[in-house]
Amino acid sequence: MERIKVFDTTLRDGEQSPGASMNTEEKIKLALQLERLGVDIIEAGFAAASPGDFEAISRISEVVSKSVICSLARALPKDIEAAARSLERAKQKRIHTFIATSPIHMEHKLKMKPDEVIKRAVEAVKLARSLCEDVEFSCEDACRSEVGFLKEVAQAVIEAGAQTLNLPDTVGYRLPQEIGAIIKEVKECVGDSVILSVHCHNDLGLAVANSLAGIQNGARQLECTINGLGERAGNTALEEVVMILKTRKDLFGDLETRINTKEIYACSKLVADITGIRPQPNKAIVGRNAFAHESGIHQDGMLKHRETYEIIRAEDIGIPQNNGLVLGKHSGRAAFKDKLTSLGFGNISKEELESAFEKFKVLCDKKKEIYDEDIRSILTEESMKIPQVFELVSLQISSDSNGVPYAAIAIQKDGECKMDAAIGEGSVDAILKTIDRISGYNGILKDYKVEAVSEGKDALAKVVVRVEFEPHKPAFIGHGLHLDTMQATARAYIGALNSYLSMRNLVVDKIQGC
């Protein structure tokens, strides 16, 4: 069998999707899940971009051992050196450096001549190679570059020490036959001296098709993200290409990945839970309706023989066969832990297990039926905790004689409990204003989403908020889970505030360290 390496960039390119920013703890959680998925290379971030990215790469490097950890770097010494420092503790490491090679980028963005670009690329690869054995080079906007120039760059960076050459369709412009022709011509030029990689964006809805065309013409590394997350219209969806290769062996023969497809669903759910960005219902492989059959004709066919209307089994991507009621308030820790293992949470710590079990018991007293999604949401919330600067103690919503809503809230900080109240234009507005008064930080709500975790009138409410605490600075995401939507809202907003404070303290520590 011939291996296609899977290079996942959910933590880097995926995070650049508007509203998809993640804190360090969330990135670590996702990196560990990607390792279980069997990803060959995890692009953990852009070390020079921010102290948060640098810390996330460093900490991921400490805990992930089976996957290569990669940091992106522009073809600049300071970027490459920062990448190398962030990867110091990685068991397997890679520096990924890049520079644009298309005429439009060289003229308008870089303001450099082609020979200057080649010189910069060679210097970058040589420096990266002196600091790290595994070096990847990307020709940004390769698919709008002149193929003759691509071959010049390829030969130069290979001689300088690059082992992987990425030819991205940065703006999602090309059609599959064009991508195939570019990869084929470069492959004929470089032979087996380097691994060719494809990184396709989805601006015209062709990212998956273009990646497959690249693979068919000699590319042996696939750059992709979970759920196709990424800038603008997103990236190649890992789950789609992997399942195409698995399902259509009649076309792709001996090509395979080392992806454990039974972890795909868990990965998809985790990314959606962390970012609050859920795949559309009809999304291939992981969409809510991907294995749903409503038509009578389809249902009849399914009952007679599954393969009449399904080419992939739900179990193949890790969707549990039984999503019904299985646990209750009389269940013990052993049964609970066994259930967690079946849901893909077998590697949690004893502390996380104990905390989750207590929350499960509390939930059992309040809900008639406990579903897998309830349990999965408890575990996801538990495992993504960040340092709690502020913690919600109590919340009461009411209204005055004129129907104007107000919120009375108690919040704990450093062991001290503070209480306050405020009126608002609605219950949510009153909650946020009260939290601002108590904490002393004024956030601007940029996005607010509520969804039911499972079935029934007593379904858990999951609230995801995106809050801006400093003008023109990135917003922070907060998650809240509770049977009561307003309680979930308060927890989500406080979660976003804690993420902001955690990141701000990191920046302060970085400055003081200098």
Side-chain angles (χ1 to χ4, degrees):
M1 304 296 287
E2 191 172 359
R3 171 72 61 80
I4 302 296
K5 290 187 176 184
V6 176
F7 178 110
D8 183 276
T9 184
T10 307
L11 291 167
R12 201 276 302 168
D13 202 330
E15 195 197 18
Q16 291 174 202
S17 180
S21 59
M22 311 174 205
N23 62 47
T24 299
E25 298 303 323
E26 290 167 341
K27 288 182 178 181
I28 292 170
K29 176 69 177 174
L30 180 52
L32 290 169
Q33 178 59 45
L34 290 171
E35 183 181 36
R36 286 192 290 274
L37 179 65
V39 164
D40 295 283
I41 304 103
I42 299 173
E43 189 165 54
F46 190 162
S50 70
D53 258 28
F54 187 97
E55 186 203 27
I57 298 167
S58 298
R59 291 185 60 192
I60 288 169
S61 295
E62 294 175 357
V63 298
V64 172
S65 59
K66 296 178 183 177
S67 301
V68 175
I69 305 303
C70 176
S71 175
L72 186 68
R74 292 169 296 181
L76 297 172
K78 64 176 184 177
D79 279 29
I80 295 167
E81 289 163 0
R85 290 195 304 274
S86 72
L87 295 167
E88 284 177 354
R89 297 178 183 176
K91 284 74 177 177
Q92 303 178 75
K93 64 187 78 173
R94 172 181 292 188
I95 292 177
H96 178 193
T97 186
F98 71 95
I99 194 169
T101 55
S102 67
I104 191 169
H105 274 244
M106 289 190 290
E107 179 183 354
H108 296 288
K109 187 180 77 172
L110 299 177
K111 301 189 184 304
M112 294 171 67
K113 300 295 183 184
D115 58 335
E116 294 176 307
V117 168
I118 292 178
K119 183 174 183 290
R120 176 80 65 81
V122 168
E123 290 173 348
V125 171
K126 285 183 176 179
L127 175 59
R129 188 61 191 271
S130 72
L131 299 170
C132 180
E133 282 294 315
D134 187 355
V135 175
E136 175 175 341
F137 179 79
S138 282
C139 301
E140 186 186 5
D141 205 22
C143 291
R144 289 194 297 175
S145 302
E146 295 173 356
V147 178
F149 183 58
L150 281 181
K151 291 192 283 189
E152 282 187 61
V153 175
Q155 290 172 328
V157 297
I158 292 169
E159 186 177 339
Q163 298 105 322
T164 303
L165 176 66
N166 183 36
L167 301 175
D169 186 15
T170 303
V171 293
Y173 176 71
R174 292 296 181 186
L175 301 182
Q177 61 267 32
E178 294 176 306
I179 294 278
I182 292 169
I183 295 292
K184 183 177 181 181
E185 189 167 344
V186 175
K187 176 68 175 176
E188 289 172 349
C189 172
V190 302
D192 295 327
S193 60
V194 72
I195 294 173
L196 289 184
S197 177
V198 282
H199 178 124
C200 298
H201 279 259
N202 203 40
D203 297 72
L204 294 176
L206 292 169
V208 169
N210 284 343
S211 294
L212 290 169
I215 289 170
Q216 287 177 312
N217 285 276
R220 290 297 176 264
Q221 179 175 284
L222 165 71
E223 304 203 0
C224 50
T225 62
I226 302 298
N227 296 343
L229 196 67
E231 287 194 271
R232 305 184 312 278
N235 289 271
T236 299
L238 178 150
E239 61 278 2
E240 294 182 26
V241 177
V242 166
M243 292 310 294
I244 289 169
L245 293 176
K246 182 181 176 71
T247 306
R248 294 305 308 273
K249 287 193 174 295
D250 57 319
L251 289 180
F252 293 95
D254 291 338
L255 298 179
E256 68 170 5
T257 69
R258 72 178 189 97
I259 294 296
N260 176 6
T261 63
K262 292 185 183 295
E263 293 289 341
I264 284 176
Y265 184 67
C267 262
S268 174
K269 288 284 295 177
L270 183 59
V271 170
D273 286 339
I274 289 174
T275 64
I277 301 172
R278 303 208 170 274
Q280 71 268 25
N282 63 332
K283 164 77 168 64
I285 314 299
V286 294
R288 190 176 67 236
N289 296 341
F291 297 95
H293 303 274
E294 185 172 336
S295 160
I297 294 174
H298 286 219
Q299 290 173 347
D300 179 63
M302 285 290 294
L303 290 170
K304 291 173 178 174
H305 188 66
R306 183 190 61 80
E307 291 184 10
T308 54
Y309 288 104
E310 279 191 4
I311 59 172
I312 301 168
R313 297 183 306 165
E315 309 93 83
D316 290 342
I317 65 165
I319 296 178
Q321 287 183 309
N322 181 8
N323 283 320
L325 174 66
V326 288
L327 292 178
K329 63 180 180 180
H330 300 298
S331 300
R333 284 176 177 78
F336 184 70
K337 189 175 189 304
D338 182 68
K339 184 61 180 176
L340 298 190
T341 301
S342 73
L343 293 176
F345 293 96
N347 296 321
I348 67 169
S349 67
K350 290 182 180 179
E351 292 76 14
E352 288 175 331
L353 173 63
E354 190 61 30
S355 179
F357 183 69
E358 292 304 317
K359 288 183 178 180
F360 162 72
K361 285 291 191 178
V362 170
L363 187 62
C364 286
D365 286 333
K366 297 179 179 179
K367 285 196 68 176
K368 290 183 178 180
E369 297 180 329
I370 304 296
Y371 295 89
D372 286 357
E373 289 304 320
D374 294 316
I375 299 170
R376 184 180 282 109
S377 295
I378 289 173
L379 262 294
T380 300
E381 182 191 44
E382 187 63 33
S383 62
M384 293 191 303
K385 275 187 174 179
I386 61 168
Q388 301 291 294
V389 179
F390 293 99
E391 190 169 357
L392 181 67
V393 175
S394 66
L395 165 67
Q396 182 178 349
I397 301 291
S398 190
S399 58
D400 63 16
S401 57
N402 295 317
V404 177
Y406 69 86
I409 298 177
I411 294 176
Q412 183 171 281
K413 180 190 179 188
D414 298 330
E416 181 183 355
C417 188
K418 293 183 178 181
M419 300 180 66
D420 208 332
I423 61 172
E425 295 179 8
S427 297
V428 172
D429 185 47
I431 289 170
L432 305 192
K433 285 179 176 175
T434 307
I435 294 172
D436 285 347
R437 284 166 63 113
I438 295 174
S439 68
Y441 295 92
N442 294 314
I444 300 172
L445 188 65
K446 308 298 287 187
D447 194 20
Y448 178 84
K449 296 177 184 176
V450 184
E451 62 179 280
V453 167
S454 57
E455 306 170 31
K457 296 178 181 179
D458 57 357
L460 275 171
K462 182 176 181 62
V463 173
V464 180
V465 299
R466 194 161 59 88
V467 187
E468 185 180 276
F469 290 97
E470 293 184 55
H472 313 300
K473 293 289 182 68
F476 289 81
I477 296 175
H479 308 266
L481 189 70
H482 200 273
L483 284 168
D484 180 77
T485 303
M486 294 301 103
Q487 288 274 353
T489 298
R491 293 184 180 194
Y493 191 77
I494 290 172
L497 175 58
N498 285 331
S499 286
Y500 163 69
L501 294 174
S502 175
M503 188 62 66
R504 196 189 69 161
N505 292 340
L506 175 65
V507 173
V508 171
D509 291 344
K510 185 83 172 176
I511 293 172
Q512 290 176 344
C514 294

